[in-house]
Amino acid sequence: MKNRTDKILLTVFLLSLPAYALILLTYLEIIPVDFPLELFSLRAWLALTFSAVPAFCLQFLLCRRTRRRIAAIPAVAVIGAALWFAYGFFTATGWDTLGWGILMLLSIAPAVGCALAWAVYGLYRICKRGDIRG
């Protein structure tokens, strides 16, 4: 079961990463695609939040396959970047605030994905030990 789950996580990560890149590039109109005006808010929401899926899959896979100290490196890096961008956003003045805000918005979803992966891994470990019987 462990190998099957790891393969599923790796597959979802490898498929969702280019899907997120495509969503972001079409939202930024680097790749021009004609979408109906009604789907603009959905496209904006996906561009800001879909990156949590590959971050979750990669972090959960690292938690399951490596030691905790090694698995913590991506989570610390992503969450640290989100905090750094938030600090820059709240201390910047003028137009610099816009750049820090965009970076902060793009880094929140991967940070949430990493934190959620650690939470799910913690529940997985508790259930595996048998403390919770369902």
Side-chain angles (χ1 to χ4, degrees):
M1 179 70 177
K2 188 172 182 178
N3 288 335
R4 182 176 176 216
T5 304
D6 292 343
K7 288 178 184 176
I8 291 170
L9 284 170
L10 183 62
T11 303
V12 172
F13 169 71
L14 291 176
L15 292 177
S16 64
L17 193 61
Y20 172 67
L22 181 67
I23 289 169
L24 188 63
L25 291 175
T26 57
Y27 177 70
L28 296 174
E29 295 183 0
I30 295 172
I31 298 175
V33 177
D34 290 329
F35 281 105
L37 189 58
E38 296 84 23
L39 294 179
F40 183 77
S41 61
L42 174 67
R43 193 171 58 160
W45 182 78
L46 284 174
L48 290 176
T49 60
F50 190 76
S51 61
V53 175
F56 172 82
C57 291
L58 180 64
Q59 185 63 56
F60 193 52
L61 183 64
L62 285 174
C63 287
R64 289 173 52 92
R65 299 302 279 171
T66 62
R67 295 191 313 249
R68 286 185 211 148
R69 289 183 184 175
I70 295 172
I73 293 172
V76 169
V78 169
I79 293 171
L83 291 174
W84 178 262
F85 296 149
Y87 174 77
F89 175 73
F90 289 114
T91 59
T93 59
W95 284 99
D96 292 343
T97 308
L98 179 64
W100 286 109
I102 290 170
L103 290 173
M104 183 180 67
L105 285 175
L106 289 175
S107 66
I108 288 173
V112 169
C114 288
L116 186 61
W118 275 101
V120 170
Y121 181 68
L123 289 174
Y124 166 75
R125 295 280 303 210
I126 290 171
C127 291
K128 187 177 174 184
R129 273 194 319 221
D131 292 347
I132 298 176
R133 293 184 175 95

